[in-house]
Amino acid sequence: MTQTIFMVGARGAGKTTVGSALAKTLGYKFVDTDLALLCTSGLSVADIVEREGWEGFRRRETETLKAICSPLTVVATGGGVVLSQENRDFMCENGTVIYLRSPASTLANRLEDTPLEDQRPTLTGKPITEEMMEVLNEREALYQEAAHHVVDGTQEPQTVVNLIMDALALPMVR
């Protein structure tokens, strides 16, 4: 396998943590779309949303996704990347998509532990558990549609990496 591996899932699913560990295990490069966007624009997600709205951010997100796609790379995408059919098609056609699936309660707990408000602006203005339930209700089918493999994201990062390696039919790392 030499294609790009795209990690998708809601905020707090572990895309960056697991993606980074997976890249290290595979000897791949790791890129986080939100951090790549920050590096190229000098603006955080929250800054872009404040200046250009969610539409402007989503446009920039698509441009970034396409720009960083390359072989032997694990990409941690933003949680809403699947909202665009163009992005879903692009990821499916240009790599393998792994959906890190976790219940809203797990996601909310993780986000409360490490809020990162400047990188993770609220989507609804509601309490985090309620917001995550709404987000998952809205996006679950899109994550499933985009995914080549769905992996339980509630486990410890190395366990999730091993689950992904198994799903990709690659030798396990213990």
Side-chain angles (χ1 to χ4, degrees):
M1 155 166 283
T2 60
Q3 291 183 312
T4 306
I5 298 173
F6 297 98
M7 310 295 292
V8 300
R11 292 182 302 152
K15 300 178 301 283
T16 299
T17 301
V18 171
S20 177
L22 179 64
K24 186 175 181 180
T25 297
L26 293 172
Y28 280 24
K29 184 171 94 175
F30 174 75
V31 182
D32 180 295
T33 57
D34 289 347
L35 292 177
L37 186 52
L38 175 66
C39 289
T40 58
S41 70
L43 301 170
S44 71
V45 172
D47 292 336
I48 295 169
V49 170
E50 185 178 315
R51 292 177 185 199
E52 302 173 21
W54 281 105
E55 186 177 312
F57 168 73
R58 295 293 177 211
R59 179 185 45 75
R60 286 178 181 248
E61 182 177 56
T62 297
E63 292 167 0
T64 301
L65 181 70
K66 291 179 177 182
I68 63 177
C69 179
S70 64
L72 304 175
T73 303
V74 175
V75 177
T77 65
V81 74
V82 296
L83 294 173
S84 161
Q85 183 70 52
E86 179 182 358
N87 291 346
R88 294 192 307 274
D89 292 344
F90 178 82
M91 291 185 296
C92 287
E93 292 165 8
N94 291 280
T96 301
V97 183
I98 307 292
Y99 169 29
L100 294 182
R101 190 167 193 242
S102 295
S105 58
T106 299
L107 299 170
N109 288 339
R110 288 177 181 168
L111 292 171
E112 286 171 348
D113 288 345
T114 54
L116 299 175
E117 284 90 359
D118 63 326
Q119 282 296 311
R120 296 176 176 160
T122 181
L123 299 171
T124 64
K126 295 180 179 174
I128 194 66
T129 301
E130 190 176 333
E131 177 171 294
M132 295 317 300
M133 288 174 63
E134 280 187 28
V135 167
L136 287 179
N137 285 338
E138 176 188 347
R139 299 178 182 172
E140 178 67 24
L142 301 175
Y143 290 133
Q144 295 277 353
E145 176 190 324
H148 293 102
H149 304 283
V150 178
V151 177
D152 178 1
T154 63
Q155 308 295 316
E156 291 298 315
Q158 188 57 54
T159 301
V160 178
V161 167
N162 289 341
L163 292 171
I164 293 168
M165 297 291 283
D166 187 45
L168 297 175
L170 296 170
M172 297 278 253
V173 177
R174 299 276 178 212

